[in-house]
Structure formats: C-alpha cells, structure tokens
Amino acid sequence: MTKGTLAASSFVGEKPVTGKLTSAFEVCDSGSRSTALLSHMWLILITLLCLFAFSNGRGLKSGHKNHPYEYNHTLATILVEYASAVYLSDLTELFTWTCTRCDGLTKGFDMIELVVDVEHCLQAFVGVAEDPHAIIIAFRGTNEHSLQNWIEDLYWKQHDINYPGMGDAMVHRGFYTAYHNTTIRPAILDAIERAKKFYGDIQIIVTGHSMGGAMASFCGLDLTVNKNEKNVQVMTFGQPRVGNAVFASLYSELVPCTVRVTNDHDIVPHLPPYYYYLPQKTYHHFPREVWLYNIGLGSLVYSVEKICDGSGEDPTCSRSVTGNSIADHLVYYGVDMGSDDPSSCRIVMNPSTQDASIKDSRGNIVLSRDLATPLIKLSGENDNQKNPINVD
C-alpha cells in the first residue's frame, strides 16, 4: 500500500466543496484541470498520483487573514514526541532524557524540571530545546487504564465553572482544577522563571495530548494573562473541548498562536459533546484545528493535513465524521501516545533520583536542577534498581 502526505486548507468565508482539496502545489491543480473531460474516477486517480509525486512540502499557511499563526508540519512532528515522552513512568530516564522516546527529533533537550502530582496521576515537565530554540512545557494525558471511564465522564459529568475575570466564559471544572489547583502549576511557573533568567527571553511552546492538551491550553492562557508572556505558542494533540463559546472566543484572541491537531475518528476531540442547537450552553472548541485523515483509491492512500477554518468547530473537519475511535486517539503522526505502563499510574525511580527529588507531605514529587551546572546522570552501572511508586 502506497502512502503520502498532503496539506490542505479550508478558508473562512469560502463555501466548502465536498471532496475538493486545496493543495500547496499548483502543478497538481493544473493537472486536474487538464483532465476535466475524463471520468470522475480518473480525476481522483490522477490527482492522487500527482500529489504523491510532489509530497515533500507539507507546511501550508492558514487561509484566515486575521489569524497570525501558521501550521508547521515539522514543528508538529517534533512536539508530538514531547507529548509522547511525558507519559513515561521511569522518572530517572525521563529526567536525564535517556528514555526510549527521548532520542528522535528531541535530541539535545535540556530538562529543567519534572513534576508528578501523585494524588491526581498528573505529570509534566519543563525544559529547553535546541530546535526549535524554545522553552518546552509538556503535560501528560489520561492513563489508558482509566481512559474509558474518563471518556464516559466527559459525556455525562460536565461540571462547569466561571473562568476568573472572563465574565460569561465557562470551563470544565476538572480540566481547570488539574492545572490550577494541583502541584503542577507552581512547579511549572518556577521552572519557566528560572529558564528565562538563564536562557533569556526565548519563546515558550506548550504541548500535551488528551487531557494533557486541555491542561496545556490552560497553561498557555495562564502565561499570557497572568504572567504577561508575549511569545507563547500552544499545540495540542487529541484534546477535548474545555469551555463554552465565550471562552473559546476569548482564548482565541488572547492565545492566537494555537493549533489543535485532531486525528481522523479520534473520539476525544468530540467530547464533551457539541450541541449545535444550544449555542449558549454547549462546549465549543477554540481554533485552529488541523485535522489528520486519510483518503485513498485502491492501493493508494494519502495522509491529509487539513487546516480548518477559524470557528473552532469547522463542520468539514473532524466534526464531519463520527468520533468513535480510541485507536485514533492513541497514535498521532505515527507516534504512540500513552503510558509505557498502561495498567496503572505507577512511576519508578532509581535510588539516586529518589534521593535528589523533593517530596511534599502528600507524596507529590518534583525533580529540579540548577541550570548553572551540567546535568549529572542519575543512573549508573551500580544503581540500576528501580523503586516503584504506585498511584491508583
């Protein structure tokens, strides 16, 4: 089976044309026009062959003139690896960036702080990347062993609270609390402050998958509104809706450099449900969505990256299909998104890491380093025993 990648966009103000993709390569468009007298099936086949032949260029600017942010395929494939790595349970390997998911496009990452809220099975880290040269903040999503229950809760237990200082903006209580009212936020803010003092005023990129994406969006908004950060980007993968339409609109204005990547029939971006006929009550995504899906004819399969409109709820993107797949939720850009120990929230550390960690009275863990000194490897030949900590 032959596969390729296509970037496509749907522009605000244009009437969507079913089945038509706006390619980054004009040569493909002209090729399609030259076959206008052929049958519909030949049109599809020739277009796919043309796109396959010119499939190296993947980035495409957004068509929304008032939206300053561009979707960047290369950046997405880098950030998805951080969003995957933060799931890992071995804190020693994660903190020293020697884990099995730490060697791809993220080589050279300089870890600053790793925080685990043991009480709530939450995990996040802050560090500085070489490429892009930026502070990277990554949040772990829901563990697979509780994913089904979590999805059911998003259907039926939609507890809302007012977002402070934003009038009628309502948000999901659980997502808001996970970021704002746990060990996570103070540890993240402390690490960012130390990173900026050492590295200067570099950009901040926040990422996460699933519930981690929801926390990443609250973090990006927090940094912009409460910490006056001017250079914050957010890119999430398979995140759920987090607030109502008022919140989505305000969020889009305050954190315009945001991309939500969704994958085919992934169930989570469809939750909590969107009710078209209850616009004031329903949850509403903020823009801008990039929808990944496949098109094909016979043995030809093309991976499309469709840049959606500025509404946050583009009916021609992920909302055009049924959100019924957990499998699509667990893989993005070919990268596994989930824990290496999906049966529980267990974490492990070797004795050296455990001795170097800071624990509060509730058992929550922070691993932090002094940026003025090189990172000392916390694993060695004579220190291979890992002490498990179960979080259920």
Side-chain angles (χ1 to χ4, degrees), residues 213-230:
M215 295 175 68
S217 64
F218 281 121
C219 179
L221 182 60
D222 181 31
L223 293 174
T224 302
V225 173
N226 298 318
K227 297 299 177 180
N228 297 314
E229 294 290 348
K230 306 299 182 185

Side-chain angles (χ1 to χ4, degrees), residues 148-158 267 270-273 275 322-324:
Q148 188 64 50
N149 290 336
W150 182 72
I151 288 172
E152 290 175 5
D153 285 347
L154 287 182
Y155 266 114
W156 307 112
K157 299 179 181 179
Q158 301 167 31
I267 187 173
H270 291 258
L271 301 173
Y275 300 109
T322 303
N324 58 5

Side-chain angles (χ1 to χ4, degrees), residues 142-151 210 268 326 329-330:
T142 305
N143 194 285
E144 290 96 313
H145 90 287
S146 58
L147 183 60
Q148 188 64 50
N149 290 336
W150 182 72
I151 288 172
S210 194
V268 172
I326 292 179
H329 184 63
L330 297 177

Side-chain angles (χ1 to χ4, degrees), residues 186-199:
I188 294 292
L189 297 182
D190 173 71
I192 294 171
E193 183 177 352
R194 292 190 293 116
K196 290 176 74 71
K197 285 181 180 179
F198 190 81
Y199 288 96

Side-chain angles (χ1 to χ4, degrees), residues 44-70:
I44 296 174
L45 179 59
I46 291 172
T47 301
L48 287 172
L49 287 170
C50 181
L51 291 171
F52 178 74
F54 294 94
S55 62
N56 291 329
R58 292 170 177 174
L60 185 65
K61 291 183 180 181
S62 163
H64 190 257
K65 294 181 179 179
N66 296 325
H67 201 282
Y69 194 45
E70 298 177 6

Side-chain angles (χ1 to χ4, degrees), residues 177-248:
T177 300
Y179 172 72
H180 281 278
N181 298 345
T182 64
T183 312
I184 299 295
R185 181 177 183 265
I188 294 292
L189 297 182
D190 173 71
I192 294 171
E193 183 177 352
R194 292 190 293 116
K196 290 176 74 71
K197 285 181 180 179
F198 190 81
Y199 288 96
D201 191 21
I202 60 176
Q203 66 176 326
I204 300 172
I205 303 177
V206 195
T207 190
H209 167 256
S210 194
M211 180 176 175
M215 295 175 68
S217 64
F218 281 121
C219 179
L221 182 60
D222 181 31
L223 293 174
T224 302
V225 173
N226 298 318
K227 297 299 177 180
N228 297 314
E229 294 290 348
K230 306 299 182 185
N231 195 5
V232 177
Q233 298 182 37
V234 176
M235 183 178 288
T236 67
F237 307 92
Q239 80 159 77
R241 296 182 177 96
V242 298
N244 64 1
V246 175
F247 175 79

